Amino acid sequence: MTQTQHSPVTTFHTGRAAPVQLHNVTKRFGRNTVVHGATLEIEPGTLVTLLGPSGCGKTTILRMIAGLETISAGQLLIDGEDVTNLSAAQRDVTMVFQSYALFPHLSVVENVAYGLRVSRHPAPLQAAEEALTLVGLTGFGARSPAQLSGGQQQRVALARALVMKPKVLLFDEPLSNLDAKLRRKMRTEIRAIQQNLGITAVYVTHDQAEALAISDLVVVMSAGNIEQIGTPEDLYRRPANAFVADFIGEANLLQGTYDGHALHFQHTSIPYTQPGAPTGPVKVLVRPESITFGASGLLGRVTSSAYLGAVTEYTIDTPAGEVLIAPPSETTSLPVGRDVHLHFHNNGLYILPA
């Protein structure tokens, strides 16, 4: 694949960044409710990601913002204007689709300029070339989409959305068709462009790493409900419930008791305080990177191991529950069946809300 680098943002400017507000928005398909009273405030110039498993309602919310789905109940505002009942054409938003949706019979620059021609822009091709420069495709305008790699086609789709200078830019799982290495590269580029332009963006993905890497705020959804809204660090360190803890990163959810001063597992106590945490039987989140093998601590037995290059993942059976730990691979390899002690670092513990 030909590697391309985009140029620094210079002459390209978007319109004013706009806030987006959803107030108790509900979507029904017949008797089936797929979004339950979603309320969300998106500040201008931020990138907010809707994250969750397939069928959780995240894409439906994105399509309601775009005007591609009607709203069954509630209110949607873009830049302070009630757009709940406006058509997609009446909203100043553009979307980057998963499938790219490029016209195969048009050149790259004509694809980017298509929306401008429809809106009777005075210089559509010039504006399209500026957008292509923004996404690192200077000199690619005369090519056809078939002559481009997947990553380059995604850049064309992004340029076509940006050239319309929308108030809000929407992304519907834009990187899901790319390989893992290219996905990492493209998500970095998308985030850099969004920040440089200061545009409001709403991004949908089921990839937790992608969401954590690019977002100002992440909205975690499950079964049509918003489970938690927070920064990537908030969601990872202080999840609202077991679903969020398990969905964001690798999570060990252990059963213990808490007395306000220490966490107690079978035969093991750890000095620990967490203001506001419930006392008595509790569920404790412990991230794999916060656990090490030690001479003392929670006793368990190795039930599986997997060499992953930089780290080796071990599954440990303990009285408090199954534990995943991932120490560096250069440490001593442990056989299945070996008894071990687990040491928990306090900064990696979190008692889940009752």
Side-chain angles (χ1 to χ4, degrees):
M1 185 191 78
T2 302
Q3 295 296 320
T4 56
Q5 300 293 329
H6 50 203
S7 304
V9 177
T10 52
T11 60
F12 192 93
H13 300 283
T14 60
R16 184 170 64 88
V20 179
Q21 290 103 24
L22 284 75
H23 299 301
N24 203 31
V25 167
T26 295
K27 177 61 181 177
R28 303 183 191 93
F29 292 104
R31 295 183 179 180
N32 185 27
T33 301
V34 296
V35 176
H36 302 266
T39 294
L40 177 61
E41 299 273 344
I42 300 174
E43 296 294 328
T46 60
L47 191 155
V48 173
T49 296
L50 305 175
L51 173 68
S54 298
C56 71
K58 59 186 185 296
T59 298
T60 301
I61 287 182
L62 191 78
R63 291 176 62 83
M64 287 191 288
I65 295 173
L68 301 177
E69 294 287 357
T70 59
I71 294 174
S72 303
Q75 185 183 43
L76 172 65
L77 285 81
I78 296 177
D79 204 14
E81 178 187 4
D82 187 346
V83 300
T84 307
N85 298 311
L86 297 185
S87 69
Q90 295 172 298
R91 306 181 189 196
D92 195 357
V93 303
T94 56
M95 185 182 289
V96 180
F97 292 95
Q98 177 180 348
S99 62
Y100 315 145
L102 302 179
F103 298 113
H105 62 287
L106 298 181
S107 69
V108 165
V109 72
E110 288 170 336
N111 264 281
V112 176
Y114 181 82
L116 295 177
R117 292 188 186 279
V118 172
S119 63
R120 300 185 183 277
H121 189 280
L125 294 180
Q126 179 183 340
E129 289 288 1
E130 290 177 0
L132 287 171
T133 296
L134 177 70
V135 300
L137 291 179
T138 301
F140 283 72
R143 299 190 189 187
S144 72
Q147 294 176 299
L148 303 182
S149 67
Q152 290 166 342
Q153 290 184 41
Q154 186 55 270
R155 290 188 180 95
V156 175
L158 177 57
R160 183 179 58 187
L162 287 169
V163 80
M164 301 303 294
K165 300 189 175 181
K167 289 182 177 178
V168 182
L169 181 60
L170 307 176
F171 293 90
D172 183 13
E173 305 223 28
L175 308 183
S176 60
N177 290 332
L178 305 179
D179 63 65
K181 187 174 182 179
L182 188 53
R183 270 203 311 272
R184 288 193 296 271
K185 178 179 174 61
M186 283 300 302
R187 77 189 187 198
T188 301
E189 293 188 8
I190 287 173
R191 178 56 165 163
I193 291 171
Q194 182 270 329
Q195 289 185 306
N196 284 332
L197 295 178
I199 193 170
T200 304
V202 185
Y203 194 103
V204 161
T205 184
H206 63 274
D207 186 322
Q208 43 159 313
E210 194 173 303
L212 295 179
I214 67 171
S215 307
D216 293 299
L217 285 178
V218 180
V219 180
V220 182
M221 296 191 63
S222 172
N225 295 297
I226 293 177
E227 297 288 343
Q228 186 175 357
I229 303 171
T231 65
E233 184 176 358
D234 282 339
L235 297 177
Y236 191 80
R237 298 296 180 192
R238 296 171 288 277
N241 53 43
F243 174 83
V244 177
D246 197 40
F247 195 80
I248 302 293
E250 296 289 351
N252 295 299
L253 298 175
L254 306 183
Q255 299 294 332
T257 58
Y258 179 57
D259 61 12
H261 305 285
L263 277 167
H264 305 280
F265 303 104
Q266 188 174 19
H267 307 306
T268 304
S269 294
I270 303 170
Y272 180 77
T273 56
Q274 181 177 315
T279 56
V282 291
K283 186 171 286 187
V284 185
L285 166 67
V286 190
R287 295 295 182 185
E289 67 271 17
S290 299
I291 310 171
T292 54
F293 295 118
S296 62
L298 183 63
L299 180 64
R301 177 165 294 178
V302 177
T303 58
S304 70
S305 67
Y307 177 80
L308 301 178
V311 299
T312 298
E313 283 188 351
Y314 295 97
T315 304
I316 314 296
D317 184 34
T318 81
E322 188 175 84
V323 174
L324 177 71
I325 180 172
S329 290
E330 62 265 21
T331 59
T332 303
S333 178
L334 298 175
V336 171
R338 170 73 63 85
D339 288 338
V340 294
H341 287 93
L342 303 179
H343 174 71
F344 299 153
H345 299 276
N346 279 23
N347 62 356
L349 299 172
Y350 184 71
I351 299 171
L352 294 180

